[in-house]
Amino acid sequence: MPSLHIILTTSFIITLVILISPVFTSILYKSLNRNWHTHHIKTAVKMAFFTSLLPLFLHHHTGTELTITNLHWMNIMTFDINTSFKLDHLSITFVPIALYVTWAILEFASWYMKSDPNINQFFKFLLIFLIAMVTLVTANNMFQLFIGWEGVGIMSFLLIGWWWARADANTAALQAVLYKGVGDVGLIFTLGWMATNLNSWEMQQMYITAKSLDMNAPLIGLILAATGKSAQFGLHPWLPSAMEGPTPVSALLHSSTMVVAGIFLLVRLSPLMQDNPFALTTCLILGALTTLFTTICALTQNDIKKIIAFSTSSQSGLMMVTIGLNQPYLAFLHICTHAFFKAMLFLCSGVIIHALNNEQDIRKMGGLLYLIPTTTSCLTIGSLALMGTPFLAGFFSKDAIIEALNNSYLNAWALALTLLATSLTAAYSLRMIFFVNMNFPRFPALSPINENIKSITNPLKRLAWGTILAGDLMTCAVLPPKPPMLSMPPYIKLTALVITILGLTIALELALFTNKQRPYMPKQYFYFSTMLGYYPTIMHRFFPYTFLKLSQTIGTMTIDQTWLEKTGPKTITSLNLSLATTTSNIQKGMMKTFLSLFFTTLMIIILLNYY
Amino acid sequence: MLPEQPVNMAGVVFRRWARALSNGNRSGISAFLLGNRAASGMTKDSLPGSYPKTPEERAAAAKKYNIRVEDYEPYPDRGEGFGDYPKLPERSQSERDPWYQWDHPDLRRNWGEPMHWDFDAYIRNRVDTSPSPVSWSSMSKQLFGFIGFMLLMFYLGEKFPSYQPVAPKQYPYNDLYLERGGDPDKQPEEVKHYEI
């Protein structure tokens, strides 16, 4: 059906126009009324979601994919840069999910940020972020992808530092920019390599021309970019620090969409990686290390948002492991299912924080199951999905990943770490539920606890439906491109379930100890976990201090000292002094000196004559 | 009578202006241009001076920098250009009391307080020198020990990978003897298959 392409193109363009229009209309108005954000931006995102469903259904029904090239932007000799959109399975599936999650978050934010005088600007920032994310996801060339990449990075900076008068928020925003900037170096290197060696930034051309080349260097650049953006080990501290931003920002950017942009990049460029064992092994090792390390850090955190942030980092490590297994489809499936339950967890934490008058410490929560039942139920559903409870969204992706792990030829230690991290995921999830929902309240009874507001319950319910149904719908609707292993021994099939239950049981046992034993002095490994492996402490103190001190010393002292003293007057003085001293010492009338000089000169003359 | 020659008034004005400037009369436009200075900023006597050698110089320097004489300690005179600038404790702004009513609460600094030579390294967005619960050597050993252990284990994991057991495909009927054109009158070679 030729008209399918027209329908697909039109609905995609309509989606884009609906998203972009509030940004421009806001410029036309002199001042925006108080409810502008709700009437315009939230409504725009909602409508865009519904219009984006049409390409999704068309794609699932007929398998239609499309590449739209509509503008020859820059053409230099044989190198073309066009604006082109790739509407394939990845973008057609991700865009509605991102819009659905954003719709829920915007509705929630209209309540959460109600008291903020700049709420319209806040919503505009979120919308610009969403547009940049859609640009990244639908890009058919690396330049457009880079525009989206940097766009989401900048908006992340602006939104983390939303409360800019707070020094910690400023520091966190700077951290995010610097760490992601290190990753951007990798991406720019890859862009340069591709421009010089593949002579194109278009995806299709890159996939074909890269087949015969050694791709180690650009793939390492891509992996570095993903490490920065998706908070893998080494460039991960920005993600827990980013919790300084408002909760809607954490829910949208730092859990569902931006943080997975690095993984999405690797999924999009997986045809380049699939035949490169070095890159795949690097992804596997990096992902396994990240998932375990961040899970260990999450175990002892007391800030509810930090627990969920480390959980995000851990799941992004799991996605990296999946890419290392050469299963990009499974990684993408996990991106999609993860978006639902992680956003829901953040929204629940936002409700709890507001309900307890900005209390974020889980040691000062408790018994909320009876006070805010919808929120705590959604928190529980989200945690169960995160653990991979059968038939929730997380199960379909996580279980498939663990099965693929067990059936693959891979590094044994990576397998062990990933299984351990899966088990510990259950542990910290239970710890969070135990402290927040169960037992008795540990907060003053003065907090105005109320969740009887549509702006809270409607988004949570929508995301809960997504958490329950999304995994099933996605796996039923789409056949995986690589056939999964269908027959395996029972112990392999049940591994994920067994280790999750094991982690849960151990965590429950330990939780019961908290009511009975006296507190003890923390051990060294407790400090290792609480202080995030000492990584931020060491990296944020040693290197900045060393480089700042070195640059200051070189700039203000060493250069001047070198050029004005050492290369001129003082060196000449010391040289002259040493020469004069040596010469006058020689001529002090000592016989030994005269005889040694005589014989040395004699030897030199003889040798010169001889040669 | 000769017609009056035209006079270049701009040139006349410029000459008068240049004369006024060079005479240093400091009146009119030249006073405006050269006499106006901001009330803020460093004056000559508040800039760093040479290294203080006598007790009187030390006292004067301490007064200049708004420090007590007992607390004043200059940098060693090693030709690095510090002059009489005080050597303040190497502690960042993060270590200062967050609840005290500072004149500049975001900088945690009072008006007139001497600034550290490396103050830009010690702002709240940068280096934090506050004490950690664990000593620096212990932290370094644990972090790098952890990373080293992980790298070693990954290396061993590559040497001894994990995989499901695989075997060559096994066919029935003595490896399909008849289907492959074997002689039906002859007894085929017995093929033993193993269960995996």
Side-chain angles (χ1 to χ4, degrees), chain A residues 46 116 131-133 150 291 310 337 342 443 472 524 533 608:
Chain A
K46 183 170 153 186
D116 196 307
I131 293 165
M133 191 70 206
E150 292 300 314
T291 189
F310 278 112
T337 54
K342 199 44 65 70
F443 51 87
D472 192 20
Q524 278 297 319
L608 280 172

Side-chain angles (χ1 to χ4, degrees), chain A residues 165 167-168 170-171 174 233 281 284-286 288-289 292-293 296 405-415 417 489 491-492 524-525 527-528 531 533-535 537-542 544-545 548-549 552 556-557 561 565 570, chain B residues 75 78-82 90 106 108 116-122 124-136 138-144 146-147 149-165:
Chain A
D168 289 338
N170 287 336
T171 314
L174 273 173
F233 181 79
T281 310
L284 185 72
I285 289 173
L286 184 62
L289 185 57
L292 181 73
F293 182 80
I296 290 173
L405 261 174
N406 282 324
N407 284 313
S408 298
Y409 182 96
L410 81 162
N411 190 312
W413 187 242
L415 172 66
L417 290 188
Y491 66 87
I492 298 271
Q524 278 297 319
Y525 44 86
Y527 279 123
F528 184 84
M531 290 183 67
Y534 310 121
Y535 187 95
T537 316
I538 292 174
M539 294 298 164
H540 298 169
R541 293 187 184 199
F542 175 72
Y545 179 75
L548 283 167
K549 200 93 171 113
Q552 176 87 302
T556 57
M557 294 172 209
Q561 261 190 318
E565 292 183 5
K570 289 213 168 142
Chain B
Y75 282 94
R78 285 198 296 245
E80 285 162 332
F82 287 109
E90 304 264 317
D106 48 336
R108 291 186 189 168
H116 195 283
W117 185 269
D118 297 318
F119 78 94
D120 55 338
Y122 290 126
R124 286 174 66 195
N125 285 339
R126 288 186 176 170
V127 180
D128 184 355
T129 56
S130 44
S132 53
V134 181
S135 68
W136 189 263
S138 179
M139 283 196 294
S140 308
K141 274 186 234 163
Q142 287 187 52
L143 175 64
F144 295 115
F146 173 80
I147 293 171
F149 172 72
M150 284 291 155
L151 288 173
L152 173 69
M153 293 307 292
F154 278 123
Y155 170 73
L156 290 176
E158 280 294 307
K159 282 269 177 241
F160 304 105
S162 155
Y163 53 91
Q164 291 302 304

